[in-house]
Amino acid sequence: MSLYSYLDFEKPIADLDGQIMELKKLSEGENGGVDVAEEVARLEKRSAEALVEIFKKLTPWQKAQVARHPDRPHCSQYVDALFDEFTPLAGDRKFAEDAAVIAGFARFDGNPVAVIGQEKGSDTQSRLKHNFGMARPEGYRKAVRIMEMANRFGLPVITMVDTAGAYPGIGAEERGQAEAIARSIEISLNLEVPMVSVVIGEGGSGGAIAIATANKVYMLEHAIYSVISPEGGASILWRDAARARDAATAMKVTAQDLLALKVIDGIIGEPLGGAHRDREAVIQETRKTVEGALADLAGLDGPALKKARREKFLAIGRNLG
């Protein structure tokens, strides 16, 4: 039996779960074992109660930590579970392939769709391959290519957002990072097909909105979505990245804050303790939400979808202004 990767504020749960594991090992020992069932049940109850108590009052900074949890399901796992016959397409036809962005065509509930998502990777090797989900200009130009094809063939676009932000390296800037993001936002606004986006982890800055300018935008319960990371915001506001927890609160990064501000359209519930504790459950909740969103948009024609999307984002600007 293996433990979860516990976050700093989950230490009471980690201590209790550690005791449970030790007792279970003792009961399986060579000397016939010891009956510890009653004590294990008592500790499991305390652990469950501690989990409920901690997660019902998470701060914005703690939610940011949950959103970044290393065991949280990533884009590739959603793609594998939600879509059939996924066919990835590579390259932007201008410079190179960018593994930070997964893009291609698939079937969702039997219907053809375009799929775009940001992949962080799940271990050291895959994280380096996918550049921790931070796309370069060619990643966004690949997304534009897929969206243009989807528009041409009348296919809905479904995107999975999970990035700390666009890659800020010198090479990316030399190749037009800002222009690539702007083009991706532009094509998103001009699509005449349904577009649904889900923030499954981090939604960081322009790197996120480049593929999240959608008719319907949803966030997982413990995901975050912001114009800059809490650490970056703290560095600018107070010249001290250690004040990230203050920035997370001030910037309204949580799904609950953003729903109240009408930046997003809904929240997808997560299992108690976060999406990493029951990946199958959260992926199926995501399926239901995307199905509902596509059903809501099915009655709109191309010009109406385009108009609704533009009005949605103009309204956000008015509401926040």
Side-chain angles (χ1 to χ4, degrees):
M1 183 173 65
S2 61
L3 288 170
Y4 296 107
S5 295
Y6 294 94
L7 299 168
D8 291 344
F9 62 85
E10 294 179 301
K11 188 177 185 302
I13 303 167
D15 291 342
L16 290 167
D17 287 353
Q19 293 177 46
I20 292 168
M21 284 189 65
E22 289 299 322
L23 286 173
K24 287 184 175 180
K25 287 180 182 177
L26 183 64
S27 69
E28 297 167 359
E30 295 180 1
N31 299 323
V34 179
D35 186 5
V36 296
E38 185 175 335
E39 180 64 10
V40 166
R42 186 182 69 83
L43 289 173
E44 286 178 339
K45 181 181 178 183
R46 285 180 57 193
S47 177
E49 290 171 348
L51 187 65
V52 171
E53 188 64 25
I54 288 171
F55 271 79
K56 75 179 182 183
K57 55 183 181 181
L58 291 182
T59 66
W61 175 241
Q62 288 170 336
K63 280 184 174 286
Q65 292 176 276
V66 177
R68 296 167 173 173
H69 196 287
D71 297 332
R72 195 174 180 86
H74 296 301
C75 175
S76 58
Q77 292 162 313
Y78 282 88
V79 171
D80 290 344
L82 295 178
F83 303 100
D84 298 317
E85 301 178 35
F86 176 64
T87 302
L89 299 182
D92 63 349
R93 298 297 184 264
K94 291 180 174 67
F95 182 75
E97 159 66 352
D98 186 351
V101 174
I102 293 174
F105 296 93
R107 290 189 181 275
F108 181 73
D109 287 346
N111 300 310
V113 296
V115 182
I116 302 169
Q118 291 148 334
E119 173 61 38
K120 284 185 172 182
S122 55
D123 54 33
T124 301
Q125 185 176 356
S126 62
R127 286 169 187 151
L128 291 172
K129 174 185 175 182
H130 296 289
N131 200 34
F132 299 86
M134 296 186 292
R136 297 174 171 86
E138 43 273 20
Y140 296 111
R141 290 178 179 132
K142 176 170 67 173
V144 166
R145 184 165 75 90
I146 300 304
M147 285 190 278
E148 287 177 338
M149 291 177 67
N151 200 48
R152 190 176 305 129
F153 293 105
L155 305 180
V157 177
I158 300 171
T159 69
M160 301 286 169
V161 179
D162 190 14
T163 182
Y167 184 62
I170 293 175
E173 297 296 341
E174 288 176 340
R175 296 193 297 278
Q177 183 72 287
E179 183 270 346
I181 291 172
R183 293 288 183 190
S184 187
I185 296 171
E186 179 187 35
I187 186 63
S188 297
L189 286 171
N190 286 310
L191 288 176
E192 294 194 351
V193 295
M195 183 173 179
V196 179
S197 296
V198 181
V199 182
I200 59 175
E202 286 187 273
S205 190
I209 200 170
I211 64 168
T213 312
N215 294 95
K216 299 283 187 180
V217 181
Y218 299 95
M219 289 177 65
L220 265 61
E221 182 181 354
H222 300 309
I224 60 171
Y225 192 19
S226 61
V227 70
I228 192 172
S229 69
E231 294 89 343
S235 296
I236 292 172
L237 293 173
W238 300 292
R239 300 185 184 279
D240 182 3
R243 293 189 63 180
R245 66 181 65 245
D246 297 325
T249 301
M251 288 169 20
K252 308 291 186 185
V253 301
T254 69
Q256 294 73 22
D257 287 331
L258 295 168
L259 182 63
L261 292 169
K262 299 183 180 179
V263 172
I264 62 171
D265 298 282
I267 298 173
I268 300 171
E270 295 188 30
L272 181 62
H276 57 284
R277 287 181 176 262
D278 191 341
R279 296 181 180 186
E280 180 63 26
V282 77
I283 288 173
Q284 291 310 312
E285 283 299 310
T286 302
R287 176 189 293 278
K288 293 176 186 176
T289 300
V290 174
E291 286 174 344
L294 290 176
D296 290 343
L297 298 170
L300 300 177
D301 62 15
L305 286 165
K306 178 179 174 180
K307 181 180 178 182
R309 195 181 305 115
R310 285 174 169 269
E311 289 180 348
K312 168 188 172 67
F313 283 88
L314 287 172
I316 290 173
R318 288 192 293 267
N319 292 337
L320 298 181

